[in-house]
Amino acid sequence: MLKIKPDEITLFSNYIHKLTGISIDQSKAYLLETRFGRLLQETDSTTYADLYHKARMEPGKHLEKKIIDAITTNETLFFRDTGPFDLLRHKIIPELIDSRIAKANGTRPSLKIWSAACSTGQEVYSIAIVLKELLAKGNYNIKLLGTDISDAAVTQASYGDYNKFEIERGLPKDKLIKYFSSSGSRWKVSDELRSMATFRKINLLTPFTNLGKWDIVFCRNVAIYFTLEDRQKLFSQIAQVLEPDGYLIIGSTESLTGVCPSFVPKRHLRTIFYTKR
Amino acid sequence: MSRLNILVVDDDPVTVILIQKKLVKEDYAVDTAEDGQQAVDKLTKRYYDVILTDLMMPGDIDGIGVLEAAKEWNIKTEVILITAFASIENAIEAMKKGAVDYLQKPINFDELLLRLEKIKNMKMLMKNATDLREAMDVTEQSSAGTIQVLELEVGKLQTLISDINELLLNDNLDAQSRIERVIEKIDT
Ligand SMILES: C[S@@+](CC[C@H](N)C(=O)[O-])C[C@H]1O[C@@H](n2cnc3c(N)ncnc32)[C@H](O)[C@@H]1O
């Protein structure tokens, strides 16, 4: 594999930070080498600097998208950490539904859930399964949005199509059979679940425009790649789009201490969630 | 990694014995079944890494039936189909249903061994990945526990500090009682 030079690391790390917020320091040579090996070949680039300049010069930004796809870590699974999904089922949704029914006075109550870095969609479909099993169809206005910065991830999420390694992870067999159908070695989400969700490409570090307000925001395992400053920016933006009585769920090893004073941590059973101060 | 467990399914006992002998010699653990029904009975009782099955067999369950049952039972089981006639349609159908490979009769053993070796390598990589994931899960769970406790503790302390701050700045109290109230607050 072609070795990356220190000044090329700097070049890429600044570029990637500007594109995605992902923070890469000088020690991550191996990461850049493994992630960009294929792109070098595909683009006939002789050096990493060469690849960088091609990406910067290209008007269509195809290469830039590929760089984003390559550098993002899309690691995810169905019902990741299980706790947040039990929390949804037993606490958050029942409570929100009660309050939204009271507010709706007679009209269909609505519920808006946003998965803010949904990767290939497993988180969104896990939420959809919980909603499906909890709420009678047609009685509610449900809006379930999945967003990610990676085109490739959003496209796969939108297809709702998984290989056998992806489908095996975290999805109980009864749910697999109920909500997915197989063709060859691939599995596709049922139309029923698929129709509950929409997907879009959103960079969480650009201003949220036309995003509306949300009752529940999942923002898990994405801020871990950001600097403290970018985390602060991200979570204060999220505070602004969360309803006053809304809920925020972050990754199980993440913390908002020193990141965002707008949120208070609370615990339900084994899971921490956040509400607005 | 331990030896691969293989189930050989064919209604022709000669073929079965031949394959069994070859595979045992190569240090694979081999079990056999003489038709689809028996194969399904066996594969629902124990786990096989690989099932090597004839496509056409008498009885209700043919090779495709075995393939479907195997995949339904455990997605990790790999199935190789053996066909008497090379038929592209059959092969495509089998691959669509999740077979890893198909072989033509008469069986070329070098080819079979090569494919099994490939499956073994693939399984080893998968096991590596699974082990890594498990290790990651354990680390993640334990650090999540620590972080949860810290997060709630810091939250409490922050509230305490702002309460104390308020008490200390309370103009309605004299210095002595401010300090008394603060000590009270800290004790509770
Ligand atoms: C590890 S995945 C997390 C997926 C899921 N939330 C979970 O917890 O399983 C992180 C995702 O964040 C996305 N990402 C990274 N930077 C981003 C940004 N600035 N805006 C939006 N998404 C971003 C990546 O593309 C990747 O799919």
Side-chain angles (χ1 to χ4, degrees):
Chain A
M1 203 180 310
L2 186 61
K3 288 274 165 218
I4 189 164
K5 296 190 204 76
D7 56 329
E8 290 175 320
I9 299 180
T10 312
L11 209 58
F12 265 99
S13 108
N14 290 337
Y15 181 44
I16 288 164
H17 182 253
K18 223 182 80 224
L19 281 179
T20 67
I22 295 171
S23 151
I24 290 166
D25 62 44
Q26 213 63 27
S27 71
K28 297 279 163 58
Y30 74 95
L31 182 80
L32 296 170
E33 285 165 3
T34 49
R35 297 294 179 94
F36 293 143
R38 254 179 70 179
L39 268 186
L40 280 180
Q41 283 185 6
E42 258 178 50
T43 54
D44 287 323
S45 306
T46 48
T47 61
Y48 289 87
D50 186 16
L51 174 65
Y52 168 81
H53 292 297
K54 279 186 182 136
R56 294 304 304 259
M57 303 297 277
E58 195 203 33
K61 306 243 185 240
H62 287 299
L63 197 47
E64 196 164 283
K65 285 179 187 159
K66 285 190 174 172
I67 284 179
I68 294 175
D69 290 342
I71 202 63
T72 50
T73 303
N74 304 120
E75 164 75 7
T76 187
L77 60 149
F78 291 97
F79 295 98
R80 183 170 193 170
D81 305 326
T82 63
F85 301 93
D86 295 337
L87 178 74
L88 267 190
R89 193 186 297 264
H90 298 298
K91 181 178 169 67
I92 297 185
I93 304 225
E95 278 181 14
L96 276 175
I97 284 292
D98 271 354
S99 105
R100 296 299 177 262
I101 287 177
K103 267 194 197 164
N105 53 61
T107 63
R108 277 208 308 186
S110 72
L111 200 59
K112 288 170 290 173
I113 306 176
W114 176 31
S115 162
C118 70
S119 184
T120 40
Q122 285 87 333
E123 184 169 273
V124 172
Y125 294 122
S126 305
I127 298 170
I129 289 173
V130 173
L131 292 172
K132 175 88 211 358
E133 293 181 349
L134 215 54
L135 305 176
K137 199 176 167 180
N139 292 355
Y140 305 92
N141 256 330
I142 304 245
K143 192 166 159 194
L144 175 58
L145 173 70
T147 65
D148 200 281
I149 198 175
S150 156
D151 276 299
V154 173
T155 304
Q156 192 189 339
S158 182
Y159 278 132
D161 161 279
Y162 301 98
N163 68 30
K164 67 174 186 170
F165 302 106
E166 296 165 327
I167 205 79
E168 257 179 32
R169 298 183 63 198
L171 193 64
K173 186 119 198 218
D174 58 314
K175 297 199 185 351
L176 168 68
I177 291 169
K178 205 157 158 199
Y179 300 111
F180 291 82
S181 59
S182 74
S183 86
S185 59
R186 300 197 70 87
W187 293 79
K188 200 163 167 47
V189 72
S190 71
D191 292 344
E192 195 182 11
L193 281 199
R194 176 60 190 86
S195 66
M196 293 171 71
T198 48
F199 294 94
R200 254 167 74 187
K201 175 173 167 172
I202 288 183
N203 178 353
L204 294 173
L205 292 172
T206 56
F208 298 167
T209 44
N210 298 325
L211 192 60
K213 292 264 182 179
W214 300 90
D215 295 307
I216 307 169
V217 175
F218 276 72
C219 184
R220 305 197 304 154
N221 306 302
V222 59
I224 48 176
Y225 301 102
F226 298 166
T227 59
L228 178 60
E229 203 188 338
D230 286 332
R231 274 183 226 174
Q232 290 166 337
K233 192 163 141 194
L234 166 61
F235 285 104
S236 66
Q237 286 218 94
I238 289 180
Q240 281 164 24
V241 297
L242 194 66
E243 293 284 3
D245 60 348
Y247 296 82
L248 166 67
I249 294 161
I250 66 175
S252 69
T253 54
E254 295 179 87
S255 153
L256 292 188
T257 297
V259 174
C260 188
S262 319
F263 291 108
V264 213
K266 294 191 179 143
R267 186 189 351 218
H268 177 77
L269 302 176
R270 286 167 17 263
T271 308
I272 300 252
F273 60 95
Y274 296 80
T275 54
K276 289 220 266 187
R277 222 175 259 287
Chain B
M1 189 167 156
S2 57
R3 299 191 298 171
L4 285 190
N5 278 316
I6 302 179
L7 177 65
V8 180
V9 192
D10 201 314
D11 57 309
D12 169 25
V14 179
T15 309
V16 172
I17 290 170
L18 209 66
I19 299 178
Q20 186 177 27
K21 268 198 175 153
K22 285 272 185 197
L23 294 184
V24 168
K25 213 172 118 207
E26 296 294 327
D27 207 29
Y28 289 105
V30 182
D31 199 356
T32 61
E34 61 191 29
D35 60 27
Q37 186 58 55
Q38 202 183 45
V40 173
D41 288 345
K42 288 198 168 187
L43 71 88
T44 50
K45 286 198 186 66
R46 55 167 295 195
Y47 171 73
Y48 296 97
D49 296 296
V50 182
I51 296 177
L52 202 63
T53 178
D54 195 11
L55 182 65
M56 285 203 278
M57 289 181 291
D60 294 337
I61 304 176
D62 62 1
I64 295 283
V66 172
L67 165 65
E68 283 170 343
K71 285 287 167 191
E72 162 81 29
W73 194 251
N74 191 328
I75 198 167
K76 290 201 181 93
T77 297
E78 300 297 356
V79 180
I80 300 178
L81 284 163
I82 306 166
T83 57
F85 320 98
S87 139
I88 298 280
E89 289 84 51
N90 281 345
I92 291 176
E93 155 120 358
M95 301 303 244
K96 267 196 186 151
K97 294 206 152 111
V100 270
D101 236 324
Y102 84 102
L103 291 173
Q104 208 180 313
K105 274 184 181 176
I107 294 172
N108 175 336
F109 281 100
D110 288 339
E111 195 180 341
L112 173 60
L113 292 177
L114 219 64
R115 302 203 178 175
L116 287 175
E117 195 57 31
K118 251 193 184 161
I119 292 178
K120 192 169 169 177
N121 285 337
M122 189 177 74
K123 296 226 170 230
M124 223 138 67
L125 281 175
M126 276 160 57
K127 185 169 179 318
N128 263 337
T130 315
D131 288 354
L132 275 175
R133 267 184 200 145
E134 272 161 18
M136 195 179 80
D137 279 354
V138 172
T139 319
E140 206 172 287
Q141 269 171 27
S142 104
S143 52
T146 314
I147 289 162
Q148 276 199 4
V149 172
L150 288 176
E151 189 84 338
L152 291 173
E153 199 55 38
V154 171
K156 265 195 242 156
L157 289 176
Q158 270 169 349
T159 319
L160 181 65
I161 289 169
S162 72
D163 288 353
I164 290 174
N165 212 16
E166 217 171 89
L167 281 175
L168 289 176
L169 296 173
N170 188 339
D171 292 334
N172 299 325
L173 302 171
D174 60 29
Q176 174 71 23
S177 29
R178 285 185 205 179
I179 291 173
E180 277 169 17
R181 295 274 184 96
V182 166
I183 292 173
E184 222 171 81
K185 186 99 221 168
I186 292 171
D187 282 346
T188 53

